[in-house]
Amino acid sequence: LERSEGPDAELAPHAGRLLFAQMMRDVSTGGGRGDDPVEQASYALGYNLAVEYLADPEKTWLLESFRRLSEGLGWELEGRRLDWEFLEVHALGEKEHADIGHRAVALFVPSSHEAAVRQAMEDHDRDFAVYYNHLASVLE
């Protein structure tokens, strides 16, 4: 989060907005891969596949981290339980999503579009590297 300028300055999620804009740009243009809609769809499936494979360990780690934080704060001993339902559903289902994404790529992407899928996964990694590097800088 970064503070906006001006008298009514507020915290704004600039890095998150940039990540979202980059993702939408990449997927909606098929990575700039010409006019072939099937190749653009192959790119989009590759990008989604990378998202799902990252989400599995990421959400699982996040859920475990929040559970440990909650235990460490002793909230449950005070009768206060945080509702992690959104994160639990995502953490427990991401492995399956990754498997579905892999099957979709294997079934629907022509082998001639391997380069499009590879580019999509690399673009995903580039987009998320900027975002995660920003988050790491906030923690420093």
Side-chain angles (χ1 to χ4, degrees), residues 11-31:
L11 292 177
H14 295 292
R17 288 179 181 157
L18 176 61
L19 173 62
F20 182 76
Q22 289 171 320
M23 289 172 60
M24 292 299 99
R25 178 207 60 219
D26 290 344
V27 173
S28 66
T29 65

Side-chain angles (χ1 to χ4, degrees), residues 31-136:
R33 300 196 65 87
D35 295 328
D36 179 1
V38 176
E39 186 174 20
Q40 290 176 348
S42 296
Y43 176 94
L45 283 170
Y47 200 100
N48 183 67
L49 179 61
V51 167
E52 296 300 344
Y53 269 98
L54 176 64
D56 180 31
E58 178 185 64
K59 297 295 187 299
T60 302
W61 174 81
L62 231 107
L63 178 59
E64 182 60 30
S65 297
F66 280 118
R67 283 178 174 164
R68 286 184 182 176
L69 176 65
S70 179
E71 290 169 9
L73 294 173
W75 288 345
E76 292 188 11
L77 296 175
E78 298 172 10
R80 296 167 47 194
R81 183 186 182 287
L82 296 176
D83 184 4
W84 306 116
E85 185 175 353
F86 175 82
L87 192 51
E88 287 171 344
V89 167
H90 279 78
L92 300 175
E94 290 302 337
K95 170 90 173 71
E96 183 180 2
H97 292 164
D99 292 343
I100 291 168
H102 186 264
R103 285 194 306 271
V105 169
L107 287 171
F108 297 116
V109 174
S111 60
S112 61
H113 291 174
E114 179 181 340
V117 172
R118 186 175 311 280
Q119 178 193 346
M121 296 177 89
E122 290 170 358
D123 289 351
H124 166 272
D125 290 351
R126 178 205 60 220
D127 295 345
F128 275 76
V130 170
Y131 179 70
Y132 286 130
N133 284 333
H134 174 75
L135 292 181

